[in-house]
Amino acid sequence: MSTTNTPSTRKEIFGHPVGLFILFFTEMWERFSYYGMRGILVLYMATSATAIDPGLGWTNKDAIWLYGWYTMLVYVASIPGGWIADKFLGQKKTVMLGGVLLCFGHGVLAIPQDWAFFTGLILIILGVGGLKPNISTMVGGLYKEGDIRRDSGFTIFYIGINIGAFLASISVGLVAYYYGWHYGFGLAGIGMLLGQIVYVWGQKYLKGVGEYTGGSQVSEAERAAAKRPLTKIEKDRVIVLLISFLIVVVFWGAFEQAGGLMNLYTDAKVDRTIGLNWLEEIPAAVFQSLNAGYIIIFGTLVGGFWIWMKKKGKEASSLFKMAIGTIIMGLGYVFMMFASQEASAEVFGKAAMVWIFLAYLFHTIGELCTSPVALSFITKLAPLKYASIMMGVYFAATGFGNKLAGSIGESAQLEPYTSEMIVTKQEVMPFMQKDSIEIKNEEKKVVKVYDYPINLDKNFSIKSEVYLEGGQLVFNELNSTKKLNYLFDIENNDRLDELKTSLEENNITSSNPYHANLVFEKDKDAAQVIKNRGDGKNYGVSFVLEEEQSEQEYQTFMWLTIFTVAFGLLLILFLKKLKKLTHGAEDNERKIDNDEKDNEPYEIADSDINDNI
């Protein structure tokens, strides 16, 4: 790998190399595809398989489980991606290969088949692994060692990432809402194709950046640097990088609730109604655009603030920024605690949207202090011979953080109690109302029918009080005295004792009941048999106790706040010791004058090393 630029690539726009903007637009469209797909992924998996636009019909818990594994593997794949770049192809060619795999992955994901869903995810994992670490390292390669513009260059690059994420979260979310999940996945794929076109077109501005270290464009000095053993300074800096990766795991473990837990929470427990003629309520996936929108607004302001701090001689090291960012991000969950309290203040209540806006605002400010800074920090400290693989390890740490986020999100979702409906549809129909329902007719066209959901094999739900009376479970329809026990066979549930124990321990009686939304869902395979439509058979029943679910979510938000703030403060406590191990890598940052730009090669890192994002 080489990072030397030819004179043609030193042409500048707005004070930065033209190559930065090629990488900017490439990554913008790649992130459009990734975040567009990510914004609807969990919702697609958790949507009923018998809905008008069917999802996979998984439970929230299972959907978050796969989301955690998927987002982890996406970033862990950066390790082999960085290794392939360092050892075989160079960053530039590995980015190209990753882009091709991503185009195929998103294209396959648009096919409404189970095999296509999992195949598409695998291709996306491999594609991101090739593209993500190497394109970030190439950004660092555009700047000479000690160039103070490097941080701002990474901030511009990071803004590009989030312009893509912002546009995707709105457009893909709305397309999926109005036209179907797979049209949303398809739109994400079109974004990736545009990114690949930009990258191929812009190769002339990237000459000498991201080349393979064994290639013809690499100088003898760089070949020697790639072969020599690490110095003591480089080894110390690698140690600091590995410690910083722990920060990354903790940060993303808390932050990445956005696509999982917070996405599902927004869908179920936030009042999203706005009452417009064309849009009665905002789709939950659209809220994923808040983070990206805030980054576009505040990205340069936060970056400028830290440059001002540096010039004033105040503490503005990368490690300090990352610690402060972790604290600020953690404080965002205080607003989710308020949202949880507001939603649980009344039966089946919902929280105001303002709490989500505030939570994402704090998460974003924290991210701007941490994520772009971490990227730049790697390009400052990573030895040249390990530049790509260290970036890969960083993204792997991000992946482990995503898996941690998935595990935390899973723990916040209670396992539903399940049963089977044991009555005829005539007996259950008094508990539902006719409504205007969209279905697909025999010609696969969407039409509206005014009918009872059970006549169309659709899901329906009954809100219920739950309590113990004489040691027996009682389910009453909410706001009435109608008993619901006879509708389903809860007595044969293998978790019956667990349910009763929970009610006993909390002293739940008829005067102080818990509540449950009983969801009646037709078996997926049975719903495919058109000739039996509306027979009222093969319905399962599932529910969680709303009060317990709300408490679980509140506790999750609270502990996320406590742990992240405490972790950030601990980092600040050990800041001086950690900074010693960097051997002054950030002490000599300055504005590079034109003579230095023209006469010296741009490098990622040597025995000294550069800065952040």
Side-chain angles (χ1 to χ4, degrees), residues 250-375:
V250 172
F251 180 87
W252 291 109
F255 181 91
E256 268 301 319
Q257 300 304 320
L261 173 59
M262 287 184 65
N263 207 0
L264 291 171
Y265 189 90
T266 303
D267 189 45
K269 295 190 176 181
V270 172
D271 183 1
R272 297 175 282 112
T273 57
I274 53 177
L276 297 178
N277 289 334
W278 62 279
L279 187 65
E280 187 172 335
E281 68 175 12
I282 302 173
V286 172
F287 282 83
Q288 297 293 297
S289 67
L290 287 176
N291 171 241
Y294 285 143
I295 285 177
I296 295 167
I297 295 170
F298 296 108
T300 53
L301 294 177
V302 172
F305 170 78
W306 288 115
I307 290 176
W308 177 80
M309 288 283 285
K310 185 93 172 177
K311 290 180 177 178
K312 288 288 185 180
K314 306 291 185 181
E315 179 61 64
S317 64
S318 293
L319 290 169
F320 180 72
K321 294 175 191 176
M322 293 165 74
I324 293 297
T326 302
I327 292 170
I328 294 172
M329 184 274 299
L331 290 174
Y333 283 107
V334 172
F335 299 108
M336 294 307 299
M337 292 167 63
F338 291 148
S340 183
Q341 287 183 324
E342 182 177 326
S344 59
E346 57 182 72
V347 179
F348 299 108
K350 292 196 173 186
M353 284 188 286
V354 64
W355 302 121
I356 300 296
F357 278 83
L358 289 171
Y360 278 123
L361 174 60
F362 272 63
H363 289 179
T364 300
I365 300 300
E367 182 185 2
L368 285 168
C369 294
T370 303
S371 185
V373 170
L375 288 173

Side-chain angles (χ1 to χ4, degrees), residues 415-423 464-468 471-476 483-500 503 516-520 539-545:
E415 188 71 35
Y417 297 99
T418 59
S419 183
E420 299 293 328
M421 190 176 82
I422 55 175
V423 296
S464 168
E465 293 180 342
V466 187
Y467 57 89
L468 285 175
Q472 298 298 312
L473 279 172
V474 177
F475 291 83
N476 275 354
K483 292 286 191 292
L484 302 173
N485 292 58
Y486 72 96
L487 298 178
F488 55 100
D489 189 19
I490 190 62
E491 293 298 325
N492 287 326
N493 188 285
D494 58 4
R495 295 173 60 208
L496 180 63
D497 290 340
E498 177 187 334
L499 177 55
K500 286 184 175 181
L503 296 175
N517 188 33
L518 307 176
V519 178
F520 292 71
Y539 267 87
V541 182
S542 63
F543 66 91
V544 295
L545 298 176

Side-chain angles (χ1 to χ4, degrees), residues 76-312:
V76 169
S78 295
I79 292 180
W83 179 74
I84 288 170
D86 282 339
K87 298 295 183 182
F88 302 105
L89 298 179
Q91 298 152 10
K92 187 185 295 184
K93 290 181 180 178
T94 309
V95 168
M96 185 77 74
L97 176 61
V100 171
L101 289 172
L102 282 166
C103 288
F104 280 110
H106 286 288
V108 170
L109 204 60
I111 301 171
Q113 299 288 335
D114 286 349
W115 69 265
F117 177 72
F118 293 105
T119 301
L121 292 186
I122 291 170
L123 289 172
I124 291 170
I125 288 169
L126 296 175
V128 173
L131 185 146
K132 189 65 178 167
N134 295 302
I135 197 169
S136 298
T137 309
M138 287 175 70
V139 173
L142 293 168
Y143 298 93
K144 181 186 176 295
E145 182 180 347
D147 192 338
I148 198 172
R149 298 179 303 161
R150 181 177 299 210
D151 278 4
S152 61
F154 268 104
T155 299
I156 291 170
F157 179 69
Y158 207 68
I159 290 172
I161 290 174
N162 287 279
I163 289 174
F166 177 77
L167 294 174
S169 298
I170 294 176
S171 59
V172 173
L174 288 174
V175 166
Y177 181 78
Y178 282 111
Y179 300 102
W181 302 112
H182 295 284
Y183 283 95
F185 291 136
L187 179 58
I190 292 172
M192 185 58 238
L193 183 60
L194 291 173
Q196 191 72 349
I197 291 171
V198 169
Y199 187 68
V200 171
W201 174 83
Q203 290 297 294
K204 60 185 176 181
Y205 298 107
L206 297 170
K207 290 180 180 179
V209 179
E211 306 292 351
Y212 172 48
T213 50
S216 60
Q217 299 187 52
V218 180
S219 68
E220 289 299 324
E222 288 174 318
R223 282 200 187 92
K227 292 179 180 179
R228 66 170 172 75
L230 298 182
T231 65
K232 172 65 166 61
I233 290 176
E234 288 174 326
K235 289 178 181 178
D236 284 349
R237 290 174 175 177
V238 168
I239 291 172
V240 176
L241 282 178
L242 295 176
I243 293 172
S244 74
F245 294 156
L246 178 60
I247 305 173
V248 169
V249 172
V250 172
F251 180 87
W252 291 109
F255 181 91
E256 268 301 319
Q257 300 304 320
L261 173 59
M262 287 184 65
N263 207 0
L264 291 171
Y265 189 90
T266 303
D267 189 45
K269 295 190 176 181
V270 172
D271 183 1
R272 297 175 282 112
T273 57
I274 53 177
L276 297 178
N277 289 334
W278 62 279
L279 187 65
E280 187 172 335
E281 68 175 12
I282 302 173
V286 172
F287 282 83
Q288 297 293 297
S289 67
L290 287 176
N291 171 241
Y294 285 143
I295 285 177
I296 295 167
I297 295 170
F298 296 108
T300 53
L301 294 177
V302 172
F305 170 78
W306 288 115
I307 290 176
W308 177 80
M309 288 283 285
K310 185 93 172 177
K311 290 180 177 178
K312 288 288 185 180

Side-chain angles (χ1 to χ4, degrees), residues 416-442:
Y417 297 99
T418 59
S419 183
E420 299 293 328
M421 190 176 82
I422 55 175
V423 296
T424 64
K425 74 174 186 179
Q426 286 74 22
E427 292 175 279
V428 78
M429 284 176 71
F431 296 99
M432 66 182 78
Q433 294 180 338
K434 280 188 174 183
D435 201 357
S436 180
I437 303 170
E438 289 185 337
I439 64 167
K440 288 183 179 178
N441 61 20
E442 294 181 357

